[in-house]
Amino acid sequence: MKVVIIGGVAGGAACATRLRRLDESLDITIIERGEHLSFANCGLPYYIGNEIKERDHLFVATKSLFEKRFKINVLNNTNATAINRDRKTVTVDDGSKQYEVAYDKLILSPGAKSFVPDLFADKAGVFTLRNVPDADRIVAYIKQKQVKKAVVIGGGFIGLEVIENLKRLDIETTLVEMSNQVLAPLDFEMSQYVHKELNDNGISLRLNHHITALEYKDNGSMLLTLDDGQILESDIVILSIGIRPESSLAVDSNLEVNARGYIVTNDKMQTSDKDIYALGDAVEVIEPILGGKTTIALAGPAAKQARVVCADIVSGDYSYRGTFGASIAKVFNMQASSVGLNEKQLKNSNINYECVLLHSPSHASYYPDSSPINFKLIYDKDSKKILGAQAVGIDGCDKRIEIVSAYMAKDGTIDDLAWHEQVYAPPYGSAKDEINFAGFVAQNIEDNLVKQCYVHDVKSLCEQGAIFLDVRTQAEFDVRSYPNSVHIDLNTLRDNLDKLDKNKTIIITCAVGLRGYIGARILQEHGFNKVYNLAGGLQSLFMANYKVK
């Protein structure tokens, strides 16, 4: 059997090597338009910042390795120009000649390309970052032009990683983002921690803005005009606005694509032609929570899709179950991770969901170097199923999100989190971990032990006459408090119940929500029926109101 693979990197390269491990008799050919078949594109920003010092470390596998170890025919620096489905061949162009390569099974792993608005197309000093040549050009330009100022457009994963690494080079950097936040998988109040971390490391943010004009000064530097008339001066611009699928081959050969141009596949990763498979950044996949379709440009899902493709070709029986989009980004000293759906996505659904906000230590607080993990859990109130989670902090976010992701894959519920058993020693966690606390709080809500309100509810509730009750200590209250708060130390709350009106709505809060919960239970046990604990406490409220610089 002849198997032809178009495209390398995560998906295509994984297919090629796994097919060989499964069947020595296959005739496998991989076609890659670039020089490098398998490289660590997630490492490119760190190569720019000299965190990864050796360029060769970016290459996962070479042409020689594919040919000698795996007996795979490698056609690199070769462009696949057409799929001839009627005669089952691919037309290729290696720069010197055109010819056809026959296949019995064809695998498409074309990836995606960076989106470049017309304003920036073919402009000097403007770059995107998708492959090693892109990184080489950026590194060379920074050195040649002795870049001192940079503008990064787009606050996604690549944009933030580039920003950090430009800062490592002592380049003054400004981020321009059209949305009101960075990192779209996070909800706004969670992204605020990332905004502060960027500001604390000298990065200027221009959120809710876009570039309307680009001009060049005599010295070659650029003047970028924002939509509000503000002008930014920069020596280099790096675009991280988004991607578009490289699906032209599929379109030209009349394979089914969706409205956005992503290749449509079934659970075996087959396209509308049963002998042609597709995977990676260019395909539409199952979104398992709401049962719809989505697109995920991550290496992990692509590698798993490769196993499904290979199994189907070699007579296995795997099905791709979709992806929850588990991801993490390093932003200077901070981790920002998430899995599943966020509130922005759920607000457009008919799901009756609830959120839990926590600020628990990464490990036992009495052990050195513990730091808070700002954690958000979202679940379905009707089924108790976990819908998503977000974690932002200095340490331990990856572990907590991976635990949630594992339970989601098994249709896990808030009860699973409450009873989750994980390893414990003071340097690594707490006897009751944040995962457990998330489940406990959710159970308390569903058992009607407490009602919550959220940071975005506070202003309107207070304007309607609600009492904002702060139960922290006097010393904490004196440092910082919410305007017009009523202060009663939790330890004296039972002695001061007469100072509160049972007919009024009471928002009770503390630093992070735990003492607020205790206070809410006291009030409810004494006949106060309109009591709401502020989810996440004042930590969430103050951070949600952080003023970005």
Side-chain angles (χ1 to χ4, degrees), residues 404-444:
V404 175
S405 180
Y407 279 118
M408 290 178 69
K410 299 297 184 181
D411 291 328
T413 69
I414 58 174
D415 296 327
D416 291 315
L417 300 185
W419 309 126
H420 172 73
E421 183 177 347
Q422 66 191 74
V423 296
Y424 161 60
Y428 305 109
S430 300
K432 290 189 287 187
D433 189 80
E434 189 156 29
I435 288 294
N436 303 130
F437 273 119
F440 294 158
V441 172
Q443 286 178 330
N444 288 342

Side-chain angles (χ1 to χ4, degrees), residues 9 13 27 46 79 88 95 154 185 218 245 268 281 312 319 390-391 434 436 441 488 539:
V9 195
D27 182 344
Y46 303 99
N79 194 28
K88 298 185 79 168
D218 291 341
K268 302 295 184 183
D281 293 0
D312 202 62
S319 294
Q390 301 159 43
E434 189 156 29
N436 303 130
V441 172
I488 302 174
Q539 170 67 24

Side-chain angles (χ1 to χ4, degrees), residues 81 286 344 395 485 537:
T81 59
I286 298 167
K344 296 189 295 287
D395 182 43
S485 299

